[in-house]
């Protein structure tokens, strides 16, 4: 799986480190994931909400949880807006097909960068160059299922489960370092509902997110994706990763 992030983390690893040569791939799980990806791939625009929590180890070596709420809007292949508010940050991104702007509400500063022409290329580029993180990006990549098959040794369908009052398909993907579980809505739209990542190589630290408030193919005004600097906001510059 590639190193795409839609905020905080996702189903990705920078070093796969396969422990097995024989994979256990459940055809039912793959069918559900392919159907989910097809539904997402056919969308012309979408709004949704993401509630996330992630474990971190503090300076006393205790595990603490941090929480984030994200509102995400996507339109066509080249428009994106994200608003993230959480226990340790308050920020937003605007992408209009040419430029991406990152704005920090707490510090009232921003940076605008030239970006590739499509949302997915922009996500890759901004993560690799600046470590920008975008919540749930992987679910929007056409190769989502193929990336899972490549990165994980076992992918299983665990049955239908009720999650937050909704009937869902429960899927698990495991490799040496990760235990990933995905709940996909059993409704006709087959959209992702929830996922959990357990980092087996990091003391079983967890990251999880719940999708909600899906609005499919809404009309989103172009102004949603253009940044207008607030009064007294400071324009800053940032260095690419690896530079000092």
């Amino acid at each position: 799986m590639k190193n795409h992030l839609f905020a905080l983390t996702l189903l990705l690893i920078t070093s796969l480190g396969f422990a097995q040569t024989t994979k256990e791939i459940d055809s039912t799980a793959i069918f559900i994931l392919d159907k989910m990806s097809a539904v997402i791939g056919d969308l012309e625009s979408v709004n949704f909400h993401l509630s996330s929590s992630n474990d971190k180890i503090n300076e006393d070596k205790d595990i603490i949880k941090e929480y984030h709420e994200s509102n995400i809007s996507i339109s066509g292949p080249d428009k994106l807006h994200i608003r993230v508010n959480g226990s340790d940050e308050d920020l937003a991104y605007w992408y209009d097909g040419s430029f991406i702007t990152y704005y920090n509400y707490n510090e009232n500063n921003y940076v605008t960068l030239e970006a590739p022409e499509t949302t997915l290329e922009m996500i890759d580029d901004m993560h690799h160059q600046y470590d920008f993180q975008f919540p749930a990006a992987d679910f929007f990549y056409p190769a989502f299922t193929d990336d899972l098959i490549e990165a994980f040794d076992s992918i299983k369908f665990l049955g239908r489960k009720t999650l937050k009052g909704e009937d869902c398909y429960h899927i698990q993907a495991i490799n040496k370092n990760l235990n990933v579980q995905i709940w996909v809505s059993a409704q006709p739209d087959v959209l992702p509902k929830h996922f959990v990542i357990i980092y087996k190589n990091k003391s079983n630290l967890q990251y999880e997110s719940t999708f909600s408030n899906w609005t499919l193919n809404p009309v989103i005004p172009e102004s949603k994706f253009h940044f207008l600097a607030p009064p007294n906001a400071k324009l800053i510059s940032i260095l690419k990763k690896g530079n000092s």
Side-chain angles (χ1 to χ4, degrees), residues 46-118:
V46 67
N47 293 321
F48 65 94
H49 183 82
L50 201 69
S51 297
S52 305
S53 70
N54 66 298
D55 293 341
K56 287 190 174 181
I57 298 178
N58 65 13
E59 55 191 22
D60 296 323
K61 301 191 182 302
D62 294 322
I63 296 176
I64 60 171
K65 281 193 177 293
E66 295 182 343
Y67 294 90
H68 296 82
E69 303 292 333
S70 302
N71 288 303
I72 300 163
S73 298
I74 302 172
S75 182
D78 58 359
K79 301 288 188 297
L80 173 69
H81 178 259
I82 304 173
R83 178 75 164 87
V84 182
N85 183 268
S87 51
D88 61 341
E89 59 188 356
D90 190 2
L91 58 89
Y93 296 98
W94 290 259
Y95 169 67
D96 62 6
S98 299
F99 297 92
I100 180 169
T101 297
Y102 162 88
Y103 175 68
N104 186 315
Y105 284 86
N106 292 329
E107 299 175 4
N108 195 25
N109 60 33
Y110 68 97
V111 60
T112 298
L113 302 167
E114 191 170 356
E117 296 179 353
T118 70

Side-chain angles (χ1 to χ4, degrees), residues 14 16 48 52 56 60 66 75-76 88 102 113 115 123 149 154 172 176 185 196 215-216 225:
T14 54
L16 300 180
F48 65 94
S52 305
K56 287 190 174 181
D60 296 323
E66 295 182 343
S75 182
D88 61 341
Y102 162 88
L113 302 167
I123 289 171
I149 293 172
S154 172
Q172 182 183 55
K176 184 177 70 173
S185 173
V196 175
T215 306
L216 308 185
F225 308 102

Side-chain angles (χ1 to χ4, degrees), residues 11 25 79 81 106 109-110 121 126 131 135 203 213 215:
L11 317 178
I25 308 298
K79 301 288 188 297
H81 178 259
N106 292 329
N109 60 33
Y110 68 97
E121 290 175 319
M126 292 299 112
D131 206 25
S203 303
N213 299 337
T215 306

Side-chain angles (χ1 to χ4, degrees), residues 108-178:
N108 195 25
N109 60 33
Y110 68 97
V111 60
T112 298
L113 302 167
E114 191 170 356
E117 296 179 353
T118 70
T119 300
L120 297 183
E121 290 175 319
M122 179 277 294
I123 289 171
D124 279 343
D125 190 62
M126 292 299 112
H127 174 68
H128 290 308
Q129 292 200 58
Y130 300 101
D131 206 25
F132 285 178
Q133 299 180 11
F134 303 89
D138 292 273
F139 288 89
F140 287 81
Y141 280 80
F144 177 77
T145 304
D146 291 338
D147 288 346
L148 279 177
I149 293 172
E150 177 186 351
F152 290 87
D153 304 314
S154 172
I155 301 176
K156 296 179 180 179
F157 173 56
L158 301 182
R160 294 173 73 129
K161 309 288 178 63
T162 300
L163 180 67
K164 300 183 185 296
E166 186 170 341
D167 189 21
C168 295
Y169 304 115
H170 187 190
I171 295 168
Q172 182 183 55
I174 295 177
N175 65 19
K176 184 177 70 173
N177 296 324
L178 298 177

